Amino acid sequence: MSSLGFGSRPAEKLRVLIADNQIEANGSCPNYPKFGPSVSCPYPGWCLEVIIDVLVRSGNIPHEFVVERNESAYIDWGRLQDNGRFSGILGRVESGEVDMACLFFQKSILRMDHFDFSVAVSEIRPTFIVREIPVTLWSLILNCLRPYDTAVWIGMLVTMLVWTIIGRMEISSGLREPRSNGRYFAWDVFDELFNCGDHYFYFLSGKLTRLVFSVFQVGLLRGMYTALLLTALVTPTDIAPIKSQTDAVRLIQSGRYKLISDKSKWFAQEIALSSEKMFMELREATRNNPIIDPISDEQALNLVSEGGYIYQTQIDSSAMVAVAGKCYTFVFTEGLPFRSAHFLMRKGSPWLDVLNTEIMKNYPMIDQVYKRYFEQRQLHTIRPDCPPDQFQTPGASDPLNFWSVFGIFMLGSCGLAIAVISLVVELVLTLIFSH
């Protein structure tokens, strides 16, 4: 906490580092830094607008800026070094070179051990960016399984297996006549399952199995085509490999995907130290599949476009602007934890109480600037005109087109083809043996 009383002011000026990261401070503006929107620079950086137009002017805070352009398109937010000191932005704040940076930081266990944070200025949410799943013939065929959950199909297969075992047990115990071919397997089981067969179960377990499968057959299979049409109508084709946090952890742990996360930011630091469930699961998942530390958003998004990578960033990142211009890229946020955003200062900074006073006094204005900035930026983001590609289902604009229900027709066609081939083989064999 501050060493001064609440509302006391230090004698020196507030030294603010302005680092170009496009969102908080936009180095592409003419005459950078700009502290308010203009025709030539509609988005000067929302931190600059908050710092100058709101906090500094409202509190009449004496200040000076340390302005830097970011030629490398990368900011080192700060990593803890072997000597116990931080690199990058955090290192400059820790050493006293500047009092604060015009950047917003999220709390992490590592950062809270070394720095003080202002009251919350805004709120952010982490995101996972991943390439959509390519559409293949196999994925179109599997669409026929979409109406019902995986557990339902597993239940049907288990029922068929139990049916087979009970049938064989009844034959071996003499309760039922053996089949003419001496076997009781695939075709016989299917005949009994779907056509009621030519026998009656003696074991109670067999009767219960028939009851369970009858529910599956009457309640689900007979209405499968209707269910498939309804599913295609109300549910978009599954193009995202991630539908939950669990999916992300599972894909990373399996080695099929690698996690990209900037180790100078809070999320990667929390993976290393946090006791929250999600971060502990990711820590375990990346134990044998290490996190990739990107050198820029561009490099990370290029890796995502190759497939097999999940890029972790957050909604106020410049990567979110860049990903809006990418085709067939999916952004996942559902269920990910919100985090408050703060200004960060070295331990015992005399400016902390002053800054907190101005933030609380001007919070409605700060919130207005934040919403206006990101809503307008989202509206003015240029969306790409993506040509049909391997990631887009043919006829995707029409949820009831042929491709949406292609799988069920494909499986039906395979069944008919097998039946015709079997018929031809049987006819040939009949002709051969009749002579």
Side-chain angles (χ1 to χ4, degrees), residues 261-330:
S261 186
D262 189 338
K263 293 185 178 180
S264 71
K265 293 185 178 180
W266 70 277
F267 195 95
Q269 294 170 359
E270 290 295 84
I271 290 177
L273 299 172
S274 177
S275 59
E276 290 186 39
K277 180 182 177 182
M278 181 185 72
F279 295 112
M280 291 177 65
E281 289 176 346
L282 285 172
R283 181 159 64 243
E284 182 63 29
T286 54
R287 189 180 304 278
N288 297 316
N289 188 13
I291 296 172
I292 295 177
D293 194 4
I295 59 174
S296 67
D297 288 336
E298 181 181 7
Q299 183 221 17
L301 292 176
N302 286 339
L303 288 175
V304 168
S305 297
E306 294 176 8
Y309 294 90
I310 299 172
Y311 180 28
Q312 181 280 315
T313 182
Q314 56 196 51
I315 58 174
D316 65 343
S317 166
S318 58
M320 296 302 293
V321 179
V323 78
K326 292 249 181 206
C327 291
Y328 309 112
T329 305
F330 180 80

Side-chain angles (χ1 to χ4, degrees), residues 3 34 159 172 198 243 315 408 426:
S3 59
K34 300 282 286 185
T159 303
S172 61
D198 57 1
K243 303 178 186 66
I315 58 174
I408 198 166
E426 288 177 346

Side-chain angles (χ1 to χ4, degrees), residues 200-246:
Y200 176 83
F201 271 118
Y202 292 92
F203 289 168
L204 177 61
S205 56
K207 297 175 182 179
L208 292 175
T209 302
R210 179 189 288 277
L211 175 63
V212 171
F213 191 82
S214 296
V215 172
F216 282 129
Q217 182 183 8
V218 176
L220 301 178
L221 294 182
R222 290 184 179 178
M224 186 172 176
Y225 181 70
T226 303
L228 183 63
L229 291 178
L230 291 174
T231 302
L233 184 62
V234 301
T235 307
T237 303
D238 289 335
I239 57 175
I242 299 177
K243 303 178 186 66
S244 67
Q245 296 178 31
T246 304

Side-chain angles (χ1 to χ4, degrees), residues 110-356:
L110 179 63
R111 290 173 176 177
M112 287 190 292
D113 285 342
H114 295 81
F115 299 94
D116 284 335
F117 290 81
S118 72
V119 295
V121 179
S122 64
E123 190 176 57
I124 64 94
R125 197 175 196 179
T127 62
F128 289 145
I129 301 175
V130 64
R131 192 190 68 176
E132 294 178 359
I133 300 174
V135 176
T136 62
L137 178 63
W138 181 241
S139 68
L140 291 173
I141 293 173
L142 290 181
N143 271 348
C144 69
L145 303 180
R146 292 176 64 205
Y148 307 126
D149 189 75
T150 304
V152 174
W153 296 109
I154 293 175
M156 287 195 231
L157 291 175
V158 170
T159 303
M160 294 168 64
L161 177 62
V162 172
W163 188 303
T164 305
I165 294 172
I166 295 173
R168 289 192 171 191
M169 289 176 61
E170 289 188 349
I171 292 174
S172 61
S173 62
L175 294 177
R176 190 196 309 184
E177 290 294 326
R179 293 284 179 167
S180 58
N181 60 6
R183 298 178 182 177
Y184 181 78
F185 196 54
W187 178 254
D188 305 303
V189 174
F190 277 105
D191 179 48
E192 292 177 357
L193 286 173
F194 295 103
N195 301 313
C196 298
D198 57 1
H199 80 281
Y200 176 83
F201 271 118
Y202 292 92
F203 289 168
L204 177 61
S205 56
K207 297 175 182 179
L208 292 175
T209 302
R210 179 189 288 277
L211 175 63
V212 171
F213 191 82
S214 296
V215 172
F216 282 129
Q217 182 183 8
V218 176
L220 301 178
L221 294 182
R222 290 184 179 178
M224 186 172 176
Y225 181 70
T226 303
L228 183 63
L229 291 178
L230 291 174
T231 302
L233 184 62
V234 301
T235 307
T237 303
D238 289 335
I239 57 175
I242 299 177
K243 303 178 186 66
S244 67
Q245 296 178 31
T246 304
D247 287 341
V249 172
R250 175 177 51 79
L251 290 173
I252 295 168
Q253 194 157 27
S254 69
R256 292 168 55 194
Y257 281 74
K258 288 185 173 292
L259 179 64
I260 306 172
S261 186
D262 189 338
K263 293 185 178 180
S264 71
K265 293 185 178 180
W266 70 277
F267 195 95
Q269 294 170 359
E270 290 295 84
I271 290 177
L273 299 172
S274 177
S275 59
E276 290 186 39
K277 180 182 177 182
M278 181 185 72
F279 295 112
M280 291 177 65
E281 289 176 346
L282 285 172
R283 181 159 64 243
E284 182 63 29
T286 54
R287 189 180 304 278
N288 297 316
N289 188 13
I291 296 172
I292 295 177
D293 194 4
I295 59 174
S296 67
D297 288 336
E298 181 181 7
Q299 183 221 17
L301 292 176
N302 286 339
L303 288 175
V304 168
S305 297
E306 294 176 8
Y309 294 90
I310 299 172
Y311 180 28
Q312 181 280 315
T313 182
Q314 56 196 51
I315 58 174
D316 65 343
S317 166
S318 58
M320 296 302 293
V321 179
V323 78
K326 292 249 181 206
C327 291
Y328 309 112
T329 305
F330 180 80
V331 178
F332 176 81
T333 59
E334 184 177 351
L336 296 179
F338 284 95
R339 282 292 190 274
S340 53
H342 310 257
F343 290 116
L344 177 146
M345 296 183 170
R346 68 183 184 277
K347 287 284 188 181
S349 171
W351 284 106
L352 184 62
D353 288 340
V354 177
L355 198 63
N356 282 342

